[in-house]
């Protein structure tokens, strides 16, 4: 199936007892066992099936199966939020004493998780400037267990050369984990360019309507976890009948990463997604490629408008010819450059705050990827926990405004920006 078709039909087998055309919401916590033997088989993984909604749910299964198809992966696991998807991806590989090399231009919440929570667990994260992929290589030590980056960093909108980082990961036998939230799979599929694991905050463009929280991790199924340095995959898991995830899963060995994440972090830490939110994300997926076309069309037009405006100091949009990321973005992105536009307003912090307060159509919220246009001033909000040095390192200035361009009529979007810039 092509992308647009899979987005509507992928992974759904119409339930023969009710013939429901739409994917049903299975709002149940638990599932009947057909017999004691059936129950025993499910628990020992001899048979796959539903046990309890913390571990999996039929509505969730369709969301996961569909996402794996859209991303070109082997298996996906949906979680309560993008944040939990990121956390579980790391602790599915790393334990105390291990290290991760990560880009320094990450989503604010991810940066804080890596900078302050992971060290509490004894996991050290070394941040590097992703503009030069060699920086990842130079930061790798014999304790490194993964490389981590975003496709388009937030809020600076710098694009990482995924193939170059993927090559370094491969040469060092390390998995590359990519947060691709800003580039849904109709625009970019990181697994085709050297990533091994792809994460999305479903909350953003995939959900697309600002209604639900969720995250999803897709396992490319290509990484070989049998190197003993990945202790969590090679040493017997006493909490799971002595299972060695890299060796004992038979047919399912290629999806050892996704399966272990379900059986260990999800099962025992519990950041499960609700069936209702799975349904909302399936609705979003159906129109994802259509919405992204309009987000991208409007995004480019807004970038050009701002670029020509006297009260604007600079514009950052990866699809703007002359932009520092234009070549990388053109090489990787399909069907447009997305809906995120960042710009610097003349007059710095004061003007930034005045601009935000003058917007009428744009909503001032800490979100991106809604069908509605959104705006924020990162230095005083999403990234306010960062120190002046960290802000600088993340490419954020006092005058930066981040826009998430929606799918309204372009004329109305431009009119609102124009009147707010004129205040
Ligand atoms: C929003 C976002 C997250 C976090 O996702 P939540 O669903 O809000 O937990 C992670 N990475 C990026 C790039 C995001 O935009």
């Amino acid at each position: 199936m092509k992308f647009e078709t899979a987005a509507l039909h992928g992974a759904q087998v119409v339930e023969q007892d009710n013939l429901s055309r739409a994917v049903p919401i299975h709002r149940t916590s638990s599932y009947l066992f057909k017999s004691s033997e059936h129950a025993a088989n499910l628990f020992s993984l001899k048979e796959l099936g539903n046990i309890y909604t913390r571990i999996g749910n039929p509505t969730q299964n369709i969301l996961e199966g569909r996402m794996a198809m859209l991303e070109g992966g082997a298996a996906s696991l949906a979680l309560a939020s993008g944040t939990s998807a990121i956390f579980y991806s790391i602790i599915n590989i790393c334990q105390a004493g291990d290290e991760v090399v990560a880009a320094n231009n990450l989503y604010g919440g991810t940066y804080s998780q890596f900078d302050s929570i992971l060290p509490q667990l004894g996991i050290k994260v070394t941040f590097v400037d992703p503009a030069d992929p060699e920086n990842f290589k130079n930061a790798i030590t014999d304790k490194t267990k993964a490389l981590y980056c975003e496709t388009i960093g937030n809020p600076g909108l710098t694009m990482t050369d995924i193939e170059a980082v993927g090559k370094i990961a491969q040469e060092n036998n390390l998995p590359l984990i990519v947060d691709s939230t800003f580039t849904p799979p109709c625009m970019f599929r990181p697994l085709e360019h050297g990533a091994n694991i792809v994460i999305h905050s479903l909350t953003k463009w995939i959900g697309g309507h600002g209604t639900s929280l969720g995250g999803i991790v897709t396992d490319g199924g290509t990484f070989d976890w049998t190197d003993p340095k990945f202790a969590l995959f090679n040493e017997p898991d006493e909490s799971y009948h002595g299972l060695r995830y890299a060796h004992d899963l038979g047919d399912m060995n290629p999806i050892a990463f996704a399966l272990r994440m379900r059986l260990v972090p999800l099962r025992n830490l519990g950041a499960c997604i609700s069936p209702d939110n799975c349904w909302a994300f399936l609705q979003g997926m159906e129109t994802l490629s259509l919405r992204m076309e309009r987000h991208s069309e409007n995004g480019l037009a807004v970038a050009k408008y701002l670029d020509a405006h006297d009260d604007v100091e600079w514009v950052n949009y990866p699809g703007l010819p002359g932009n520092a990321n234009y070549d990388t973005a053109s090489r990787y992105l399909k069907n447009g450059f997305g809906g995120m536009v960042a710009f610097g307003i003349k007059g710095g912090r004061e003007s930034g705050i005045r601009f935000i307060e003058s917007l009428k159509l744009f909503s001032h919220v800490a979100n991106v990827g809604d069908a509605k246009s959104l705006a924020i001033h990162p230095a005083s909000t999403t990234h306010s926990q960062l120190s002046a040095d960290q802000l600088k390192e993340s490419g954020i200035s006092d005058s930066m405004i981040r826009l998430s361009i929606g799918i309204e009529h372009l004329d109305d979007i431009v009119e609102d920006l124009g009147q707010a810039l004129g205040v």
Side-chain angles (χ1 to χ4, degrees), residues 34-56:
K34 294 178 206 161
S35 63
S36 302
E37 191 195 356
H38 178 224
N41 285 347
L42 291 178
F43 277 96
S44 66
L45 300 179
K46 281 198 191 112
E47 214 179 302
L48 287 185
N50 298 310
I51 297 175
Y52 190 64
T53 284
R54 175 160 26 80
I55 311 168

Side-chain angles (χ1 to χ4, degrees), residues 81-84 86 107 110 150 154 179 181-182 201-204 213-214 368:
S81 65
T83 303
S84 53
I86 293 163
Y107 177 74
T110 308
E150 295 178 1
N154 176 28
D179 178 340
T181 299
F182 278 39
S201 165
L202 292 166
T203 316
K204 313 297 167 52
L213 265 284
V368 295

Side-chain angles (χ1 to χ4, degrees), residues 165-180:
V165 182
K167 194 155 167 280
I168 291 164
Q170 197 182 16
E171 283 164 4
N172 290 277
N173 194 26
L174 293 168
L176 171 61
I177 307 174
V178 173
D179 178 340
S180 192

Side-chain angles (χ1 to χ4, degrees), residues 292-363:
M292 286 319 298
E293 273 176 29
R294 181 64 70 82
H295 280 297
S296 291
E297 215 176 280
N298 284 350
L300 179 60
V302 164
K304 286 182 175 163
Y305 167 77
L306 292 172
D307 201 35
H309 201 289
D310 285 345
D311 295 325
V312 171
E313 233 160 36
W314 52 266
V315 177
N316 192 0
Y317 182 72
L320 207 55
N323 182 274
N325 299 284
Y326 183 73
D327 289 341
T328 314
S330 304
R331 184 147 66 89
Y332 286 123
L333 305 185
K334 302 265 178 311
N335 306 317
F337 296 89
M340 294 303 296
V341 181
F343 73 98
I345 190 164
K346 280 191 186 149
R349 196 182 180 90
E350 304 297 292
S351 309
I353 291 169
R354 198 164 55 236
F355 169 82
I356 292 278
E357 288 180 349
S358 308
L359 289 166
K360 296 191 172 91
L361 181 68
F362 277 70
S363 309

Side-chain angles (χ1 to χ4, degrees), residues 59-139:
T59 310
Q60 180 184 345
N61 291 344
I62 297 172
L63 174 70
E64 291 168 347
R66 196 166 289 182
M67 189 66 199
M69 286 174 80
L70 298 184
E71 199 70 85
S76 297
L77 179 68
L79 294 149
S81 65
T83 303
S84 53
I86 293 163
F87 182 54
Y88 285 7
S89 295
I90 300 295
I91 62 164
N92 202 33
I93 303 172
C94 298
Q95 53 187 346
D98 291 341
E99 296 181 6
V100 175
V101 179
N104 64 8
N105 62 342
L106 302 177
Y107 177 74
T110 308
Y111 193 95
S112 301
Q113 181 185 119
F114 285 12
D115 192 46
S116 66
I117 310 280
L118 293 182
Q120 290 173 21
L121 306 178
I123 300 166
K124 180 182 160 194
V125 180
T126 308
F127 293 101
V128 298
D129 180 355
D132 182 358
E134 289 293 303
N135 292 337
F136 284 89
K137 187 167 161 181
N138 297 334

